[in-house]
Every structure is written in C-alpha cells, then in structure tokens.
Amino acid sequence: MKQNPFSFYDFLGYLIPGAFLLYTLFFLGSHYNWSIAFELNKQLPKNNSLGDILNLFPLVISSYITGHLLSLSSSSVIEMYSKYKNGYPSTYLISGSKKKCYFSFSKKIELAAKILIFILTFPISAFDAIFFFFRQDEEMSFKLKAPVFEACKKILNDRFLVDTASMNETTGLDGDSFRLIYHFSFENSEQHANKLQNYVALYGFTRNISMAALVLFWLLLYLKLVLNFAIGAPLIITSAATAIVFYKGFVKFYRRYSLEAMMAACIIQAKEEKNTST
C-alpha cells in the first residue's frame, strides 16, 4: 500500500497530542504568570501577515517533536501498564481475562518495574484498583474463538514455520506471533489494511493523550504540593480524569485492532482454501 510521507498517524498520533500538551502548558503559564509563557506570547502572530504566520512553524515542529516524545514515553508507561494489567489483546481475546494480582511476579526486577509503572500511572492504576469490576480484557465470542484461533495457528505454522504446538485456548497468541498475523492481514487485504491503519492511529492518539494528561497531572501536583502554587483541585482532577478516559480508549482500540487483524487473517485463509478446492 502507498502511504504519504506525512500520514494520518503522524497527524493524530504525534501532532495533536504534542500540541495538546504544549498549548495546555502555555495556557497554564499565562494564567499563573510564568515568564516563559509571556515570552512565547510575543512570538505568536497578531495579524495575518506572512512574517507572523511563519512564526507558527516552530510551534508546529515543536508539537510534532513533543508528540514523538509522548509516544516514546507512553509505549514504556501506558502500554506497559496495560500489558501488566490485562496482557496482550491477542492473548486474552482467546484465553479470556486472567484475574491474577497485578503485583504477581517471577523475578524481583519484574516486581520493581510493576511498582514503578503503578506509581507513574497512579490516576489510572488507582481507578482500576477501586473499580476492578470494570474490565476491558474480554475474550471474543465463543462461536468465533475456535475457528479464528485455528486459522491463525495454521497461518503461523504453514506460512511462517512457527511452532504452534504449545499454543492453545488457555495461552492464546503471544505478542511476537501476533505481529506476523498483523503483517499477513495487512499485506493480503487492502480493505482490512485501511481499518487496521485507522485503529493504529486511534490507539496511538488515545495512548499519547493519556500520557500527556499524566504529565500534566504530576506537574500540577508538584506545583501545588512542593512549590505552593494556588492550583485548584478541579484542575488536578480534570487531568487525572482525562488520563483515565483516554487510557480506556486506548485499551478499547488496541483490542479492536488485534481483533480486526485476527479476523482478517481468518477470512483470507478461508478464501485461499476455497480457491484451492475449486
């Protein structure tokens, strides 16, 4: 498939989250009289002259770079928390949710990583701990699970020579095996490829916005508790709520993306078998 140099994901996954964080910081700075905010305000265009409009380019570039930094950090924080909490969607779509303790571990370093991630994502992790019955790691329909899983295993075994003997309905597909299923679906069906790209853009967008809201939450908390800024609780609560809502959106679209790739692989396999038999 042909892609533009500046893709939909670049706009939705990088530029908007980066702009969201920078502009929120700018408005906070203006409200609380930060000197850097006043300096930046002087650079903003005051009319429609070409020179003033050109001053926007550094802001666009800064938003894009900030978006990349958010993406990098969110993959190590937001996505890692989701992995520790729910597992990979390609796993729980088949095996169902594993209702085990978040802090269960096999190595001490894993426990340390889980504690650190739990603290960094505190608004999200605390919400999940309190409202533990609001789970999103639901398996796919019972009628679909067996044929989809068997088709995925057959593709992995026949096309990529992956040993699937250890895979069953209690283990599902691990993350590495799922990557092969995703690329198989993407390369062999343009209709599904478009939907997959959209889901990737959406889960990237929601993950990065959630990360931006977490950054704001900890910054506001630091300013209030350490530097004694007169920051109201509603602002801190709003940043926490934003992080939670967009995290839930990320898990939703991550699940849909995985389900779409697996369903597409099943359909492609069925079509090829039909063509072979005829």
Side-chain angles (χ1 to χ4, degrees):
M1 288 190 59
K2 294 181 179 179
Q3 293 187 351
N4 295 323
F6 190 84
S7 67
F8 181 52
Y9 187 90
D10 287 307
F11 181 75
L12 201 61
Y14 299 136
L15 190 60
I16 292 180
F20 167 75
L21 179 59
L22 291 182
Y23 277 95
T24 303
L25 290 174
F26 172 75
F27 286 121
L28 285 173
S30 298
H31 182 74
Y32 291 106
N33 299 318
W34 298 347
S35 59
I36 189 172
F38 287 105
E39 291 298 322
L40 288 172
N41 190 46
K42 295 177 183 178
Q43 305 301 319
L44 294 176
K46 302 298 188 295
N47 52 53
N48 293 326
S49 68
L50 180 60
D52 281 340
I53 292 175
L54 288 175
N55 285 336
L56 285 174
F57 280 106
L59 295 176
V60 173
I61 294 170
S62 297
S63 297
Y64 188 64
I65 293 172
T66 303
H68 275 277
L69 294 175
L70 285 173
S71 180
L72 180 64
S73 56
S74 67
S75 65
S76 301
V77 177
I78 301 292
E79 191 167 337
M80 189 60 67
Y81 171 74
S82 177
K83 176 189 169 185
Y84 286 148
K85 178 71 169 56
N86 304 318
Y88 289 110
S90 58
T91 299
Y92 65 70
L93 278 167
I94 301 299
S95 64
S97 62
K98 304 292 185 182
K99 297 180 180 179
K100 62 180 181 179
C101 176
Y102 171 87
F103 294 105
S104 61
F105 66 97
S106 57
K107 297 179 181 179
K108 289 184 179 180
I109 191 170
E110 182 184 359
L111 177 61
K114 284 187 172 184
I115 292 172
L116 177 61
I117 294 297
F118 189 91
I119 294 171
L120 290 175
T121 60
F122 182 73
I124 299 167
S125 56
F127 180 89
D128 280 345
I130 296 169
F131 300 99
F132 59 89
F133 44 85
F134 289 143
R135 302 190 67 90
Q136 293 179 283
D137 51 346
E138 300 173 353
E139 61 186 306
M140 70 173 71
S141 168
F142 178 76
K143 293 181 179 180
L144 296 176
K145 183 167 64 172
V148 170
F149 186 46
E150 289 303 318
C152 288
K153 286 203 300 180
K154 184 173 177 59
I155 290 167
L156 289 170
N157 201 353
D158 295 349
R159 303 298 184 88
F160 304 108
L161 303 179
V162 174
D163 183 9
T164 60
S166 62
M167 295 183 189
N168 53 56
E169 290 192 5
T170 62
T171 62
L173 297 176
D174 60 47
D176 292 329
S177 298
F178 173 74
R179 290 189 185 95
L180 293 172
I181 294 297
Y182 164 73
H183 285 288
F184 175 82
S185 301
F186 187 85
E187 293 295 333
N188 289 279
S189 175
E190 187 168 347
Q191 292 125 329
H192 289 288
N194 290 329
K195 291 185 71 175
L196 287 169
Q197 282 184 313
N198 289 338
Y199 281 136
V200 169
L202 287 169
Y203 88 62
F205 168 73
T206 49
R207 188 189 70 190
N208 293 345
I209 290 290
S210 181
M211 188 68 217
L214 274 182
V215 171
L216 292 171
F217 170 80
W218 288 113
L219 175 63
L220 292 170
L221 211 59
Y222 174 78
L223 292 174
K224 182 175 180 63
L225 299 180
V226 179
L227 300 184
N228 295 318
F229 275 62
I231 294 175
L235 199 58
I236 298 174
I237 294 171
T238 299
S239 63
T242 302
I244 294 167
V245 169
F246 279 92
Y247 167 75
K248 295 297 182 183
F250 158 67
V251 176
K252 169 188 172 182
F253 289 120
Y254 196 15
R255 181 184 183 277
R256 287 190 177 183
Y257 148 78
S258 302
L259 180 60
E260 181 69 23
M262 294 168 71
M263 293 289 287
C266 180
I267 292 170
I268 294 166
Q269 177 70 13
K271 284 184 177 180
E272 290 182 351
E273 288 181 351
K274 183 179 180 181
N275 292 336
T276 303
S277 62
T278 57

